[in-house]
Amino acid sequence: MAFCCFVQPRSGLFFTVRSQIMKSLSIYNKCAKINISTKGIWGGNMKTGKRKNTAIKWIIGILAAAAAAVLIFILSIFAIDPMFHYHAPLKFLSYPLVNERYQNNGIVRHFDYDSVITGTSMTENFKTSEAQKLFGSDFIKVAFSGGGYTEIGDNLKAAYDSGHEIKYVIWGLDYDKMIYGKNYRYTEKGDFPDYLYNDSSLDDIKYFFDPVVVKLAGSVVKSTVTGRAATSFDVYENWSAGYEYGRDEVIKSCELNASASKMQQLTDADRAVVTENLNENVISIVKAHPETTFYFFYPPYSIAHWGMEINNGQLDRTLGAENLITKELLKYDNVRLYSFRGNSELICNLDNYKDAKHYGEWVNSQMLQWMKNDEYRITEENLAEYEKNADDLIKSYDYDQLFK
């Protein structure tokens, strides 16, 4: 049990289990000393009593062995801790990073770092090694594919609550999540493991028997035995190399109405949703941590995406939400906000994209450079100019030629 000297259980679970095992063993020992005899009571003989005594001891022994096996299993999961729920990764084990919603909370609570990259799949291709060289800080990457502002914000709050002093946060704010409710969570990748994120230790027993956890614990052992290196944050959920890029791939992902829908505007109800979502999951963190510099950016969706927004009548509504969020964020001195949708060389070059939204890792690398050099930054002084130029690019583009 060498690991017990440097990790602390999150609750009294292990002491409770150990106590039950010791009680079972104690009963077993007491029963072994009792000479159970039915002679004189039932008129039976000593052999019958011995058989009953043996059966009782056998049952108790089986139960004690089973309980001991369960305890050993639990302690093994605790020691390996593939989701970093209780402690940081052990240096002599090779941990695969493969499941964002299971592993991100443990990463922010137990890893060593002073800066964070977070967002949706639009941030998965960032390389922390590049960010470290540019910003001179020790970055982790904790993205949530398809995630709303809620789970991204909650995980960042957990990073602060764990006692980390964070210098920089690079945070992608997706357009398609702006008008979602403040409690929205992406569920297409399975049920969200709430027990890993809440403050209660009462439901931690789920951790030791969760099939996802058990399977990954086995992967840790396999990776260690086969000599496979632990996953780096450069590689963690980086999908860039697994896809084809270019116009054909992008157009295949586009869904267009036969005729354009009527253009919708941002309503007062929409504004209330956007404001509540932003305040609850973003602004609250910015205000609570003036010591941190937040590098927010709007992911540069391709021109094909904006063509779909026009086609389905959502462009003005989306740009209205962007304008509202931009004006709110610019109120804070520790915020730097960037947008690249006015860069025609980027968003109109479909060789950068695998579909209408998702760009290759070279775009992530370029965005890090731009943000470090303060290029494409939105300020109160240039907001009107930025919106005019970027909006004109989108609204004047020849979409008939693109989608023909």
Side-chain angles (χ1 to χ4, degrees):
M1 305 298 179
F3 60 87
C4 290
C5 66
F6 55 86
V7 294
Q8 294 294 327
R10 193 177 179 213
S11 69
L13 173 66
F14 299 103
F15 299 105
T16 301
V17 175
R18 185 181 68 179
S19 174
Q20 294 301 316
I21 299 301
M22 295 306 294
K23 287 181 181 179
S24 298
L25 294 175
S26 176
I27 293 172
Y28 173 82
N29 290 332
K30 288 179 180 179
C31 289
K33 295 178 180 179
I34 297 174
N35 183 14
I36 301 175
S37 174
T38 58
K39 186 176 181 179
I41 299 177
W42 303 104
N45 54 45
M46 186 64 70
K47 291 183 179 180
T48 301
K50 287 183 177 180
R51 284 197 296 269
K52 290 183 177 180
N53 188 23
T54 300
I56 292 172
K57 291 194 291 184
W58 182 82
I59 292 171
I60 294 174
I62 290 295
L63 292 175
V70 171
L71 178 61
I72 292 172
F73 176 80
I74 289 174
L75 292 177
S76 298
I77 298 296
F78 173 78
I80 298 171
D81 197 13
M83 309 305 181
F84 322 112
H85 190 48
Y86 294 101
H87 59 79
L90 303 179
K91 294 183 179 180
F92 56 86
L93 295 178
S94 294
Y95 288 82
L97 298 180
V98 295
N99 194 315
E100 294 167 340
R101 284 168 173 79
Y102 270 83
Q103 293 180 303
N104 280 352
N105 184 259
I107 289 172
V108 299
R109 289 192 295 111
H110 294 299
F111 278 49
D112 292 327
Y113 61 92
D114 63 15
S115 294
V116 179
I117 296 173
T118 193
T120 65
S121 54
M122 303 298 162
T123 63
E124 288 177 326
N125 293 339
F126 279 120
K127 295 182 179 180
T128 56
S129 61
E130 294 177 348
Q132 285 166 193
K133 290 178 181 178
L134 289 169
F135 292 86
S137 289
D138 189 9
F139 278 85
I140 57 170
K141 180 177 66 178
V142 281
F144 290 85
S145 178
Y149 291 7
T150 309
E151 53 190 308
I152 296 168
D154 285 349
N155 200 52
L156 196 53
K157 291 174 185 177
Y160 284 106
D161 290 343
S162 67
H164 285 84
E165 296 181 1
I166 302 177
K167 294 180 181 178
Y168 306 114
V169 173
I170 297 174
W171 190 341
L173 297 174
D174 281 55
Y175 289 99
D176 61 358
K177 302 299 190 300
M178 289 177 176
I179 317 179
Y180 280 38
K182 67 176 183 178
N183 296 319
Y184 167 79
R185 279 181 175 173
Y186 183 71
T187 57
E188 290 186 19
K189 289 184 176 292
D191 293 336
F192 193 85
D194 291 290
Y195 71 87
L196 294 176
Y197 289 79
N198 63 34
D199 295 327
S200 173
S201 59
L202 298 178
D203 55 3
D204 274 13
I205 190 64
K206 296 179 182 179
Y207 184 69
F208 303 100
F209 302 100
D210 188 324
V212 178
V213 176
V214 174
K215 182 178 179 180
L216 191 53
S219 297
V220 173
V221 174
K222 182 178 179 180
S223 294
T224 303
V225 171
T226 58
R228 183 179 300 172
T231 308
S232 71
F233 283 113
D234 283 1
V235 176
Y236 183 25
E237 294 294 5
N238 185 318
W239 44 260
S240 185
Y243 292 91
E244 299 292 329
Y245 295 80
R247 182 184 180 281
D248 291 344
E249 299 300 316
V250 171
I251 297 304
K252 283 192 300 185
S253 73
C254 295
E255 297 180 4
L256 298 172
N257 299 320
S259 59
S261 301
K262 181 181 178 181
M263 189 62 65
Q264 304 295 312
Q265 304 299 315
L266 192 70
T267 66
D268 289 341
D270 290 335
R271 289 179 177 277
V273 171
V274 172
T275 300
E276 188 177 37
N277 186 17
L278 184 70
N279 287 340
E280 180 75 18
N281 299 309
V282 181
I283 296 296
S284 62
I285 301 174
V286 170
K287 292 171 65 175
H289 298 283
E291 75 281 4
T292 301
T293 300
F294 292 87
Y295 284 77
F296 290 105
F297 71 94
Y298 299 128
Y301 297 168
S302 79
I303 195 67
H305 169 80
W306 298 113
M308 286 192 294
E309 287 279 280
I310 293 173
N311 177 260
N312 62 29
Q314 293 298 308
L315 179 65
D316 288 353
R317 185 169 180 251
T318 298
L319 296 183
E322 182 204 65
N323 175 267
L324 175 59
I325 290 175
T326 297
K327 288 180 177 178
E328 288 299 313
L329 289 176
L330 292 181
K331 294 177 181 179
Y332 299 94
D333 293 336
N334 58 331
V335 165
R336 297 185 178 188
L337 177 61
Y338 302 83
S339 176
F340 314 101
R341 70 177 176 89
N343 183 334
S344 61
E345 293 183 0
L346 171 61
I347 72 169
C348 297
N349 181 2
L350 299 187
D351 288 340
N352 288 320
Y353 296 87
K354 77 176 186 69
D355 56 37
K357 294 180 181 177
H358 294 85
Y359 38 81
E361 63 180 11
W362 55 91
V363 176
N364 295 83
S365 298
Q366 183 63 70
M367 287 192 294
L368 283 178
Q369 291 280 352
W370 283 332
M371 285 188 281
K372 176 58 180 175
N373 296 334
D374 230 20
E375 299 180 59
Y376 297 98
R377 182 178 175 182
I378 305 174
T379 65
E380 290 181 345
E381 291 72 26
N382 70 12
L383 173 58
E385 180 184 6
Y386 152 73
E387 289 184 333
K388 180 182 184 305
N389 293 337
D391 293 359
D392 286 349
L393 170 62
I394 290 172
K395 294 179 179 180
S396 64
Y397 192 81
D398 184 1
Y399 293 103
D400 290 336
Q401 182 273 335
L402 175 64
F403 292 119
K404 68 178 180 180

